[in-house]
Structure formats: C-alpha cells, structure tokens
Amino acid sequence: MSAWEELLAQAGHRVTEPRRLVMQLLLASETPLSPQTLFESARVQHHNLGLVTIYRTLELFESLGLVCRVHLKDGCHGYLAVSPGHHHFVICERCGGSVEFPGGDDLRALIADIEARTGYRIEEHLLQLLGLCPNCQGK
Amino acid sequence: MSAWEELLAQAGHRVTEPRRLVMQLLLASETPLSPQTLFESARVQHHNLGLVTIYRTLELFESLGLVCRVHLKDGCHGYLAVSPGHHHFVICERCGGSVEFPGGDDLRALIADIEARTGYRIEEHLLQLLGLCPNCQGK
DNA sequence: CCCTTATTGATAGTTTTTTTCAATAAGAAG
DNA sequence: CTTCTTATTGAAAAAAACTATCAATAAGGG
Ligand SMILES: [Mn+2]
Ligand SMILES: [Mn+2]
Ligand SMILES: [Zn+2]
Ligand SMILES: [Zn+2]
C-alpha cells in the first residue's frame, strides 16, 4: 500500500479504482494536469469513468494535501502531486515541466515584513514561478 | 482626463462609457471584483451593458497593466486596480480587503536562488498572500 | 458635422464546474 | 467467504464561466 493510499485510508476514505488512477497519473506527470486531461487519460483504463469523479477526487486529494492546484498562464487550473510538506512550483511556460521547491527563508522574511507593514496576519500564500526550463531555453 | 484614460488613449484605444464604469468600480473597490459582480454593478448605470464587454474590458486593462487578476480561495478570479509598476497583494480571507505591496529584495533573492538551483529561467511570478486584515483579526 | 472604424451588445455556442439521485462496490463485521 | 452498511460512483441535467460572430453604434480624427 503506497503512502498516499495509507493516508487516504487513515483519514477514513476508501481506496477506489478512480482514485488510484488519478493519483497514478498525477504522480507520473511532470506537468500540471487539468481535470479534463485526467479524465481522458483515466478513461482509457476505466471505461465508464465519470468526469464528476475527477473533480471530486481532486477536491479530496487537495484537502488532504496530496495534490496542489496551480494557476496556468491562460487562467485554467492544473493539478500537481506534491511531496509531503509545503512546497511551491516553477513551471515551464513552453513545455509545462514543473519542479517543486521549498519556500525558503527569503519568503519567510518577506512575509514577516509584510505582516509588520500592513497589519495583516498572513495565513496562506500562493507563490508560483513561471519561466523556461533548461531544455526549452534558446528554442 | 485621469491617468488611466490618458494611458488608454495614448495606446490608441477609445475611452468609452463601459470602460469608464469598469475602471471606476475597480478603483473604488477595496476588494477584488469578479466579472459577474462588475457586470451587475455597472449595469445599474449603463442599462444595456453586455457581460462580454466586461470580459473584453478586463482583458484590455490587464494587457495595459491597469488591473491585475487575482486568484480567490474558491478558485474563481477577481480583478483589482493596480498602481503603476509591479505589485502583489495581500487579501483578507474574511472581508476580501486587499492591500498592494511591492515584491522586495527578499523575493528577488529567492528567485535568483531558484534559478541557480533548477536551471529554469524565471520570467514571471505569481505571489499572493492570504490572511486576515487588522479589522478581521479576533473575530 | 462627417467619416472611418474601434467598440459594443444581442445571440448563440463552448467549456468548465456543480447538483441530484439511484446503482455500485469498499471495507468492516460475522 | 458472505453479508451488511454506507461511502463512492456515474448518468443526466443544470448552472456558471467564458468565447465567437456579426450587425448596429458611437468615439474621435479631419
Ligand atoms: Mn509556501
Ligand atoms: Mn512580483
Ligand atoms: Zn520546458
Ligand atoms: Zn478583513
């Protein structure tokens, strides 16, 4: 039983075929996947899969911290599997390739600074970097 | 003629009633406004306004750097007027109140660090802080 | 004031996401 | 393994978000 299946069960959720397929696809992907894309890919193996299930599964996974929703250039949403803990992504604007990185001291310092200057108590942050991966540079 | 109208005209675009209304609403708002909300508010004064025009106007304003699209908690999009230059926002999760802040040295350092470690050439970034404004804390 | 054409709004269409509910199957219990 | 409970699924339909088309309108230059 894989780590995320363990976590699912621990939280009182069932390990089902659609959930296995969605997580499998996300874990294997280097790029963010949209609900639609996940649907089409997963349906190859699970003939009568419903798109609704994809949405529900992604919502569940996100609530458990297994995946993370990223905001693509055009305004659409994609999902990426995340390793345990808090991370952010750099996403290639050309090929979609994504790499995780931890929010380091720099970000913590920035947040502390903003809290001091605005009086806001900051509870969450959304940080995403967009650019070109090594492969796509110079093309 | 206000600054943004100046900028619009300078760029070869016309200053129209719908555009005036949308910008007026955005400038007066402390919180991000959705296309739908803008539509409903603006239609009070401009009876036969089309929702399409809101979308087109926001797209134009964004391309000119007059407004900025922010990602709300629930996944929907909202728009905020921005002052000239590059800025980010802290948004209150309770009342929606938003405050701009400049991405300081901390962020630049973080980006340089990630570029060095991942090999990506970072061209854009998305940074948004979510929390509670002074008023909403302790409620 | 007139002309050119950028802009608009009505209409229709597409894509994305949510709701509902009966059928199904996961996992606990025996 | 079989039975039971109920979380989960999928079909269908609806709602919400966004986009494309095109004739009518009006902004702004001359
Ligand atoms: Mn972080
Ligand atoms: Mn910035
Ligand atoms: Zn790339
Ligand atoms: Zn607040």
Side-chain angles (χ1 to χ4, degrees):
Chain A
M1 213 180 198
S2 53
W4 68 269
E5 287 181 340
E6 201 75 47
L7 206 154
L8 247 203
Q10 220 84 65
H13 300 283
R14 296 177 181 176
V15 176
T16 67
E17 183 67 4
R19 288 175 180 171
R20 243 190 305 269
L21 285 172
V22 169
M23 186 48 95
Q24 208 169 284
L25 287 166
L26 286 171
L27 286 172
S29 174
E30 298 268 294
T31 72
L33 300 177
S34 68
Q36 187 60 43
T37 302
L38 281 165
F39 175 55
E40 282 156 18
S41 302
R43 199 164 44 165
V44 172
Q45 302 172 64
H46 193 90
H47 181 285
N48 65 329
L49 177 68
L51 176 54
V52 222
T53 301
I54 303 288
Y55 279 101
R56 289 189 283 226
T57 299
L58 289 172
E59 189 184 5
L60 173 66
F61 284 1
E62 194 179 15
S63 78
L64 293 174
L66 296 171
V67 307
C68 155
R69 181 165 67 180
V70 297
H71 304 269
L72 275 9
K73 195 70 177 302
D74 53 22
C76 292
H77 297 141
Y79 290 82
L80 284 166
V82 295
S83 38
H86 185 86
H87 289 268
H88 304 109
F89 293 93
V90 209
I91 303 174
C92 177
E93 293 181 313
R94 192 164 168 282
C95 72
S98 306
V99 174
E100 260 187 334
F101 67 88
D105 287 327
D106 295 320
L107 192 53
R108 270 185 289 282
L110 175 71
I111 288 175
D113 184 36
I114 302 303
E115 282 189 322
R117 279 158 54 176
T118 63
Y120 274 58
R121 167 139 319 152
I122 295 169
E123 316 213 305
E124 284 189 73
H125 55 263
L126 174 57
L127 172 62
Q128 233 180 259
L129 305 180
L130 300 168
L132 291 174
C133 73
N135 268 341
C136 291
Q137 286 172 35
K139 279 189 185 169
Chain B
M1 214 180 198
S2 54
W4 68 269
E5 287 181 338
E6 201 75 48
L7 206 154
L8 248 203
Q10 220 85 66
H13 300 283
R14 295 179 181 175
V15 176
T16 68
E17 183 68 3
R19 288 174 180 172
R20 242 191 304 268
L21 286 172
V22 169
M23 186 48 94
Q24 209 169 284
L25 287 166
L26 286 171
L27 286 173
S29 174
E30 297 269 294
T31 72
L33 299 177
S34 67
Q36 187 60 43
T37 301
L38 281 165
F39 176 55
E40 282 157 18
S41 301
R43 200 165 42 165
V44 172
Q45 302 173 63
H46 194 90
H47 181 285
N48 64 330
L49 176 68
L51 177 54
V52 223
T53 301
I54 304 288
Y55 280 103
R56 289 189 284 226
T57 299
L58 289 171
E59 188 184 6
L60 173 65
F61 284 0
E62 192 178 16
S63 78
L64 293 173
L66 296 171
V67 307
C68 155
R69 182 165 69 180
V70 296
H71 304 270
L72 276 7
K73 196 70 176 304
D74 53 21
C76 291
H77 297 141
Y79 289 82
L80 285 166
V82 295
S83 38
H86 185 87
H87 289 267
H88 305 110
F89 293 94
V90 208
I91 303 174
C92 177
E93 293 180 312
R94 191 164 169 282
C95 72
S98 306
V99 174
E100 261 185 335
F101 68 87
D105 287 326
D106 294 320
L107 193 53
R108 269 185 290 281
L110 175 71
I111 288 175
D113 183 37
I114 303 302
E115 282 189 323
R117 281 159 52 178
T118 63
Y120 274 60
R121 166 139 321 152
I122 295 169
E123 316 212 305
E124 283 189 74
H125 56 264
L126 175 56
L127 172 62
Q128 235 181 258
L129 305 181
L130 301 169
L132 291 175
C133 72
N135 268 342
C136 291
Q137 285 172 35
K139 281 192 184 167

